[in-house]
Amino acid sequence: MGAQKPNEVFYMILHRLLMTAAAALVFAGPAMAQSTAAPAAPPTAAPATSPTAAPAMSLAITPSGDIVDTLKASGQFTILLKALDASNLTGVLKGAGPLTVFAPTDAAFQALPAGELASLLKIENAPKLQALLVYHVVNAGVPMSKVQGAKGPIATGSGQPVQIDGTGSPLHINDADVVGSAVVSNGDIYAIDKVLTSGSTAPAAAAAAPAATPAH
């Protein structure tokens, strides 16, 4: 029983972090500027060309219940699912939500530098893996209608924001391309082609957008 206490503590801390993390959706530029304190509304300014055009997506994701069940059904996220289990975060992503997950595909994890994935999955590196994964989670729904045409930061469960750029195609999360998306029973999934790190934020985007402010 004593051996499980650290995992239980990690789970409790991360669960509390996700439930209390800043969830304000603050985007820079004229496309949108609003927080989750107000009812969700579409951007006030649509893109100048093809306002109804859907962004290019190469990976079809069929909603199959909640976030975890949909990732399992896709078959493209086996490494992410293994990492969530190893970090005791699977239960969090099966919660009521709404939550948003920027989900690296198996190919994204396999593209990490040699040995990095194996190192992250070691038991002794659980805190590092947990910190990485919560950087991919937003404690709010982030529907495609808010992303398209918008640009700026969104706060994540780690307390550090990711930079979203929905002004072109494909959409970008930091330096990763969004290759698929789905609306599921407890939130939103954006499949991405790179594993996000806090240092992967595009410098230009970071300079152009203000830091996300916590919701109160």
Side-chain angles (χ1 to χ4, degrees), residues 46-198:
T49 58
S50 303
T52 60
M57 299 283 177
S58 59
L59 177 62
I61 304 174
T62 302
S64 303
D66 61 31
I67 290 171
V68 173
D69 289 343
T70 299
L71 293 176
K72 287 180 179 178
S74 171
Q76 300 295 317
F77 304 95
T78 60
I79 298 174
L80 173 60
L81 290 164
K82 182 178 180 180
L84 290 171
D85 284 343
S87 301
N88 292 324
L89 289 174
T90 300
V92 174
L93 296 187
K94 288 186 71 66
L99 297 168
T100 297
V101 175
F102 305 121
T105 62
D106 286 344
F109 275 105
Q110 290 163 354
L112 288 171
E116 185 169 337
L117 177 58
S119 177
L120 283 170
L121 293 174
K122 291 181 178 179
I123 295 176
E124 60 267 29
N125 288 332
K128 182 178 180 180
L129 178 61
Q130 290 164 340
L132 175 70
L133 293 177
V134 295
Y135 185 61
H136 291 70
V137 179
V138 176
N139 184 31
V142 184
M144 183 64 73
S145 63
K146 288 187 176 181
V147 173
Q148 284 186 271
K151 185 176 183 179
I154 288 185
T156 68
S158 72
Q160 297 195 29
V162 294
Q163 295 289 332
I164 287 186
D165 186 351
T167 60
S169 183
L171 308 179
H172 295 288
I173 311 295
N174 286 2
D175 61 346
D177 292 349
V178 175
V179 296
S181 68
V183 179
V184 298
S185 64
N186 64 341
D188 300 276
I189 296 172
Y190 290 88
I192 53 177
D193 67 351
K194 290 183 180 179
V195 177
L196 303 178
T197 64
S198 58

